[in-house]
Amino acid sequence: MRQEMRLLLAERSLWLVSALFLLLIGYALYNGVHQTTLRDRAQAAITTDDARTRADQLSQLGRIMAGREVPSPFQNPADPARMGGGFGAHHALMPSAPLAPVALGQTDLFPGQFKVTYQSKIHFIHANDIENPWHLLSGHFDLAFVIVYLLPLLIFALSYNLLSVERESGTLKLLLSQPLALRTLVLGKVAVRAGVLLGLAVLVPLGVLLLARPESAGAGTSTLWWSLLVGAYALFWFALVVAVNAFGRSSASNAMLLVISWVVLVLIAPVLLNLGVTAASPAPSRTELATRTRMVTIEAMNRYSKLLSADYRHIGKPEVLLPKDGKIEMSGRALASYSIQKQIDEEIQPDLDRFDAQHARQQQLVARYSLLSPAAVAYEGMTALAGTGARRYAHFHDLMDGHHQAWKKFFFPRIDGGIAITEADFPRIPRFVWTEEDARLIDRQAFPALLKLVMPSLLLLGIAAWRLRSYPVV
Amino acid sequence: MLRAIGLTKTFGAQTALDRLDLDIRPGEIYCLLGANGAGKTTTINLFLNFIAPSAGEVQIDGIDVTRDPVATKQHVAYIPEQVMLYGVLSGLENLDYFSSLALGKRLPRERLLQLMDEVSLDAGAAHKRVSAYSKGMRQKIWIAVALAKQAKAYLLDEPTSGLDPQAASEFSSLLKRASEGGVAVLTTTHDLFHAKQTATRIGIMKKGRLVESLDSAQIGQTDLQALYLQHMRD
Ligand SMILES: Nc1ncnc2c1ncn2[C@@H]1O[C@H](COP(=O)(O)OP(=O)(O)OP(=O)(O)O)[C@@H](O)[C@H]1O
Ligand SMILES: [Mg+2]
């Protein structure tokens, strides 16, 4: 094996491929860390901003109650309709997971923050995830992309002619005249190449992550799964290379066969899978949902049109906006938009639930048939570990739904009863609290992904072993 | 040491080797003669388990080569007509690489240099890339591997074709030395003179069959030539 390494070192291809791989990994990591840092910073800014606004509102309320300030009708911290709407709203944030930089996944399709108000969820989420069950091509140049798309090609570059070149150049006869089984020879060659590529693919990112995001040191399990996943994915492609070589064709046909399988497994299969899933379980149309929202909105606006136009009488007499004995008079406009939004929320909720159910069905189908494309399995697995995959987003949405409910539960009775928000209420306003998903879920998703890669690899290795027995040495 | 029993190999409808019986003892040099396509290379390939026999058996040191090929290869050194080494490595590195495969362990550097010396390759050549070697030089490296391995049997397929007369005669004396040391040699050639010079026994093959097997000492150079041509005419 050490000898094989020396042989490989003497060839230019190893150096070229390694340098290229290192460059790709480096750029992908830079990109990943950069994007994640931007995101983290933006979220931190939102958090401070939210906190500052809340504090400002509290002191404003103090001044109003002390009679030192006259509230404006649109920005009155005592007004539950304003506070429950946009004025008092806080953001629900999904923080980036420790391994986030390795797979940016759907971070820009699914935003990690929403401004939660009493309005229907339809207003603050964008149901992107509904249309397309599988965003394999997320358009990010991240480590997951490099590994899923490019690593197979680098594996090909180093080993498409693993055996064929030995036969073609006449060295195979010399090798096999030594006490050395063909299988051992192949194993040694693969081990050396896999060692180099996996060493780069696993150790470099690990080092960079530890330096750039020291908190990733705490994500041992995810990191281990990640490494195993990368290893299993590489194993699949090496198994394919060995199986193709075992058929004893020329180096040129091997190269062609391998590139064709790459195109089929990495580019075509995921698309077909998407088409299949969409055909088997079509997503409800988004235009339909939008139309429905519009109709519901118009209906509600018609219903509360009188209230809506009965406004601006406060502008001349701001003192009526002051709380009296814990009660507050809300402007007609504020009440109208509250009533409108409440009606929209109630009427659109069943549609949203239908969307969610449909989405879950699609995800299930995708999970079941992802076996058809190891690239899809690997990509899904990697985004899952990086916390940028569908599962963690679903978890975020669940938390957000809970928060949304709590928010409405807090404000609705106050708006309905015309009860003013007091300074004592402030700490009781529901807060969105992020709780990380159950760590066991990570294992539960990573393990099947690993199996889905290892099983076809074993199958390919089986075929290879069978073909190698009658390998045409001469 | 090298044994074939009823050895037969067919490629589709064509019989490349037909019921060959051979028994080559330590110290013997058995030389196979025959026209192109007579089955000489096929015989050697069968001994190396590069191809599987259609019928019959091949043994090296009493071990059936199809049953335990790896074990039998501990004992054999094989020299093909064209020795193709790794062009990117130097001669010494090739010797190091292959001898470590042959022995399962690396030889010390002094031993490698000593082996280079034994096959009369100088130190300057040892460090040159093999891609710049001549055929004869590559073959010498390969003989050094065989020496390192201390093989009990040699399988040689037209080892002297393309060598200059001096190199060919050097090679012959090397073979003789080896056989005196108890090595069993199976070699093929088209060179009747070389066969007579080196071999202890000579076999003539024709269309996959061994049609003649004689003691080299019992026949003169001209008689051998006459006999060979007569077989080819029939
Ligand atoms: N892999 C193969 N497939 C089909 N036929 C083969 C194969 N190898 C050899 N043969 C046939 O077997 C016969 C014997 O070939 P072999 O190479 O043993 O001849 P040879 O005596 O070594 O000839 P030469 O002197 O040209 O080297 C030939 O007719 C050849 O065409
Ligand atoms: Mg031949």
Side-chain angles (χ1 to χ4, degrees):
Chain A
M1 197 112 95
R2 189 148 12 102
Q3 293 291 324
E4 177 64 32
M5 187 67 216
R6 291 207 307 156
L7 184 55
L8 198 58
L9 283 178
E11 282 170 32
R12 216 170 304 139
S13 59
L14 178 76
W15 295 104
L16 277 175
V17 167
S18 301
L20 182 63
F21 195 35
L22 206 60
L23 217 68
L24 292 170
I25 290 178
Y27 179 58
L29 281 174
Y30 163 75
N31 220 2
V33 170
H34 181 64
Q35 299 280 344
T36 312
T37 311
L38 284 183
R39 222 165 93 90
D40 290 351
R41 280 210 201 117
Q43 290 202 341
I46 288 174
T47 309
T48 15
D49 219 44
D50 277 353
R52 190 167 344 105
T53 316
R54 189 60 62 80
D56 288 351
Q57 288 167 347
L58 184 59
S59 55
Q60 191 193 358
L61 184 58
R63 289 195 301 277
I64 290 171
M65 296 313 286
R68 280 188 278 125
E69 189 179 319
V70 178
S72 105
F74 304 105
Q75 297 186 337
N76 185 354
D79 181 341
R82 293 298 179 201
M83 285 299 282
F87 181 50
H90 259 199
H91 286 83
L93 298 175
M94 178 173 89
S96 47
L99 289 187
V102 297
L104 295 168
Q106 277 112 68
T107 42
D108 47 30
L109 284 177
F110 301 157
Q113 65 257 354
F114 297 111
K115 193 169 183 177
V116 177
T117 64
Y118 63 54
Q119 299 189 343
S120 164
K121 198 166 104 178
I122 190 89
H123 289 302
F124 52 81
I125 69 156
H126 306 285
N128 282 337
D129 45 341
I130 292 161
E131 251 188 10
N132 202 347
W134 207 328
H135 309 272
L136 193 55
L137 259 178
S138 69
H140 285 297
F141 195 95
D142 55 11
L143 190 59
F145 169 78
V146 170
I147 286 173
V148 170
Y149 283 80
L150 307 180
L151 179 62
L153 296 176
L154 298 177
I155 290 176
F156 294 171
L158 276 190
S159 47
Y160 74 98
N161 58 4
L162 197 72
L163 270 184
S164 48
V165 72
E166 302 279 358
R167 200 188 58 218
E168 284 156 12
S169 66
T171 39
L172 187 62
K173 286 196 288 185
L174 300 190
L175 288 169
L176 292 181
S177 70
Q178 307 306 340
L180 173 74
L182 186 55
R183 227 179 313 148
T184 320
L185 178 72
V186 172
L187 223 64
K189 284 178 170 298
V190 168
V192 167
R193 286 159 176 78
V196 172
L197 289 179
L198 284 179
L200 290 175
V202 171
L203 295 181
V204 172
L206 228 63
V208 170
L209 270 191
L210 281 179
L211 283 179
R213 285 169 72 88
E215 69 266 34
S216 58
T221 324
S222 292
T223 311
L224 184 67
W225 279 121
W226 163 273
S227 312
L228 287 175
L229 203 61
V230 175
Y233 187 60
L235 173 71
F236 172 82
W237 293 104
F238 273 115
L240 184 69
V241 164
V242 173
V244 165
N245 265 277
F247 278 83
R249 291 170 197 276
S250 70
S251 298
S253 6
N254 287 353
M256 191 145 81
L257 247 161
L258 287 170
V259 169
I260 290 173
S261 9
W262 180 84
V263 169
V264 169
L265 292 174
V266 177
L267 298 184
I268 297 179
V271 173
L272 286 183
L273 209 57
N274 252 346
L275 288 177
V277 165
T278 320
S281 166
S285 122
R286 264 189 59 207
T287 33
E288 210 176 279
L289 186 68
T291 316
R292 178 103 178 91
T293 314
R294 221 166 291 137
M295 272 165 51
V296 170
T297 311
I298 291 168
E299 231 172 77
M301 282 174 80
N302 282 338
R303 193 164 152 198
Y304 296 103
S305 61
K306 257 196 216 114
L307 202 54
L308 257 184
S309 49
D311 206 4
Y312 304 113
R313 69 181 178 97
H314 297 93
I315 293 187
K317 294 188 283 177
E319 63 280 5
V320 301
L321 294 172
L322 288 172
K324 274 189 263 324
D325 308 326
K327 293 280 187 178
I328 187 166
E329 190 179 325
M330 283 162 280
S331 75
R333 196 179 177 78
L335 277 177
S337 60
Y338 158 69
S339 307
I340 290 168
Q341 291 306 333
K342 198 172 166 197
Q343 185 174 338
I344 296 174
D345 187 20
E346 278 160 12
E347 292 199 21
I348 212 79
Q349 194 56 48
D351 294 279
L352 283 176
D353 288 345
R354 221 153 37 81
F355 265 67
D356 284 351
Q358 184 65 10
H359 182 51
R361 259 197 303 282
Q362 284 195 332
Q363 287 292 330
Q364 256 175 350
L365 273 178
V366 164
R368 188 168 323 144
Y369 294 106
S370 61
L371 192 62
L372 295 174
S373 169
V377 173
Y379 191 81
E380 290 288 312
M382 286 178 190
T383 52
L385 290 171
T388 53
R391 195 200 55 234
R392 196 158 174 265
Y393 274 104
H395 171 68
F396 176 44
H397 275 246
D398 284 347
L399 289 180
M400 193 172 62
D401 282 343
H403 173 62
H404 191 213
Q405 294 305 330
W407 185 267
K408 290 191 286 189
K409 216 171 139 198
F410 182 84
F411 283 104
F412 282 2
R414 285 177 167 78
I415 302 173
D416 292 336
I419 300 165
I421 305 285
T422 65
E423 286 169 85
D425 278 338
F426 262 73
R428 276 183 269 147
I429 296 175
R431 251 165 221 289
F432 177 83
V433 182
W434 168 262
T435 46
E436 195 52 73
E437 54 181 345
D438 189 349
R440 275 170 304 176
L441 284 177
I442 295 177
D443 302 344
R444 216 174 296 153
Q445 184 170 0
F447 184 67
L450 210 61
L451 274 189
K452 281 183 194 167
L453 292 174
V454 170
M455 281 184 325
S457 310
L458 291 181
L459 183 71
L460 284 171
L461 288 177
I463 293 174
W466 163 64
R467 291 299 309 187
L468 279 181
R469 283 211 232 164
S470 50
Y471 188 81
V473 179
V474 287
Chain B
M1 177 57 68
L2 293 168
R3 229 172 143 189
I5 307 155
L7 188 60
T8 304
K9 178 68 189 180
T10 54
F11 293 105
Q14 187 198 359
T15 305
L17 194 63
D18 193 4
R19 284 163 290 165
L20 175 73
D21 291 305
L22 269 184
D23 188 3
I24 306 165
R25 284 171 228 282
E28 278 188 328
I29 301 178
Y30 194 105
C31 188
L32 280 178
L33 297 174
N36 295 126
K40 305 181 295 293
T41 299
T42 302
T43 308
I44 302 269
N45 285 342
L46 282 163
F47 268 101
L48 288 157
N49 197 40
F50 287 171
I51 49 179
S54 308
E57 201 175 307
V58 209
Q59 291 174 358
I60 294 176
D61 202 17
I63 310 169
D64 185 341
V65 299
T66 58
R67 209 155 290 157
D68 193 353
V70 174
T72 60
K73 284 169 193 175
Q74 259 151 7
H75 308 304
V76 298
Y78 161 62
I79 300 183
E81 187 183 342
Q82 285 284 342
V83 173
M84 297 309 299
L85 301 167
Y86 290 113
V88 292
L89 300 182
S90 73
L92 194 66
E93 285 166 337
N94 266 291
L95 176 59
D96 187 8
Y97 178 77
F98 282 105
S99 64
S100 75
L101 282 182
L103 298 168
K105 62 166 201 279
R106 277 182 81 179
L107 290 173
R109 196 178 162 78
E110 308 83 74
R111 174 74 181 130
L112 294 177
L113 288 172
Q114 187 195 340
L115 285 164
M116 293 295 251
D117 194 49
E118 272 180 55
V119 293
S120 52
L121 273 175
D122 57 54
H127 297 287
K128 258 204 305 196
R129 277 187 165 212
V130 160
S131 50
Y133 272 32
S134 71
K135 177 187 152 90
M137 285 163 82
R138 288 199 306 270
Q139 201 193 43
K140 281 178 175 177
I141 295 284
W142 196 240
I143 293 168
V145 174
L147 294 177
K149 197 173 178 179
Q150 296 182 300
K152 294 191 223 165
Y154 287 5
L155 296 166
L156 316 172
D157 197 4
E158 300 187 36
T160 51
S161 88
L163 290 190
D164 68 46
Q166 194 205 337
S169 116
E170 266 177 36
F171 184 77
S172 293
S173 44
L174 206 134
L175 261 190
K176 277 189 179 144
R177 243 184 296 141
S179 85
E180 277 156 22
V183 173
V185 180
L186 172 61
T187 177
T188 75
T189 188
H190 289 294
D191 182 347
L192 300 185
F193 175 74
H194 169 77
K196 171 75 188 98
Q197 289 295 303
T198 350
T200 57
R201 283 203 292 157
I202 295 171
I204 299 175
M205 291 186 79
K206 190 180 175 188
K207 292 181 183 154
R209 306 198 59 172
L210 187 64
V211 289
E212 195 83 57
S213 187
L214 14 103
D215 221 327
S216 172
Q218 310 267 288
I219 190 165
Q221 184 70 46
T222 34
D223 292 341
L224 175 62
Q225 194 158 354
L227 186 66
Y228 180 84
L229 289 176
Q230 189 199 326
H231 274 299
M232 294 304 112
R233 258 198 306 277
D234 293 341

